Amino acid sequence: MSKANAAGKEKRDEYYRNQQQQQQMLIRDQDEKLDELGLAAERLHHTAMTINTEIKDQQVMLNELENEVDAEAEKMNFVMKKMAKLLQTSDTKQICLVLFLFVVFLILVFLVMYT
């Protein structure tokens, strides 16, 4: 082998070593980025699970509120029917009593809200 061939072989070997080192560095960088991506995905999973739990809890609360509103609406309908029946009477004493009680109710509501 001549010196030129030996020098050319050495340059090729050096080139291959450099390429191999660069590929190993790229692989390490990719591995690090994949690890970071995996951690981010895990954090996202935990966040999604927490949000899911919160949504389920709020759905239960909304269902309970809906049931309570329905029950109160039924009571209100009953009261409204009784009021309508009462207001159909021509007895002025009853109407005055209803109006007086309504004013007392408004005063009580005002006192509860602002004290």
Side-chain angles (χ1 to χ4, degrees):
M1 226 190 227
S2 69
K3 282 187 170 184
N5 282 343
K9 183 177 186 308
E10 191 171 317
K11 283 185 179 183
R12 277 192 311 265
D13 289 344
E14 180 69 26
Y15 174 78
Y16 291 136
R17 280 192 297 272
N18 285 340
Q19 289 298 313
Q20 194 174 25
Q21 286 176 348
Q22 286 179 355
Q23 287 176 358
Q24 288 174 352
M25 286 176 53
L26 284 172
I27 290 171
R28 276 193 300 261
D29 286 346
Q30 288 175 349
D31 286 344
E32 289 174 9
K33 296 220 186 301
L34 283 174
D35 289 342
E36 289 174 12
L37 183 61
L39 292 173
E42 189 174 325
R43 285 191 306 268
L44 184 60
H45 172 73
H46 289 300
T47 302
M49 294 301 289
T50 302
I51 290 171
N52 185 36
T53 301
E54 183 66 27
I55 288 173
K56 286 180 181 178
D57 291 344
Q58 289 186 9
Q59 183 64 40
V60 168
M61 289 189 292
L62 284 173
N63 287 338
E64 290 172 358
L65 178 64
E66 181 181 10
N67 292 338
E68 291 173 10
V69 167
D70 287 344
E72 295 304 317
E74 287 178 27
K75 290 178 187 176
M76 187 66 136
N77 286 337
F78 176 75
V79 169
M80 293 300 286
K81 286 178 186 176
K82 292 291 183 177
M83 286 291 288
K85 185 177 180 181
L86 181 66
L87 290 176
Q88 287 178 354
T89 66
S90 61
D91 188 6
T92 57
K93 290 180 183 179
Q94 285 182 344
I95 293 174
C96 289
L97 178 64
V98 168
L99 290 175
F100 173 75
L101 291 175
F102 183 71
V103 169
V104 170
F105 172 74
L106 289 177
I107 292 171
L108 289 174
V109 168
F110 178 78
L111 289 174
V112 168
M113 290 178 67
Y114 293 106
T115 57

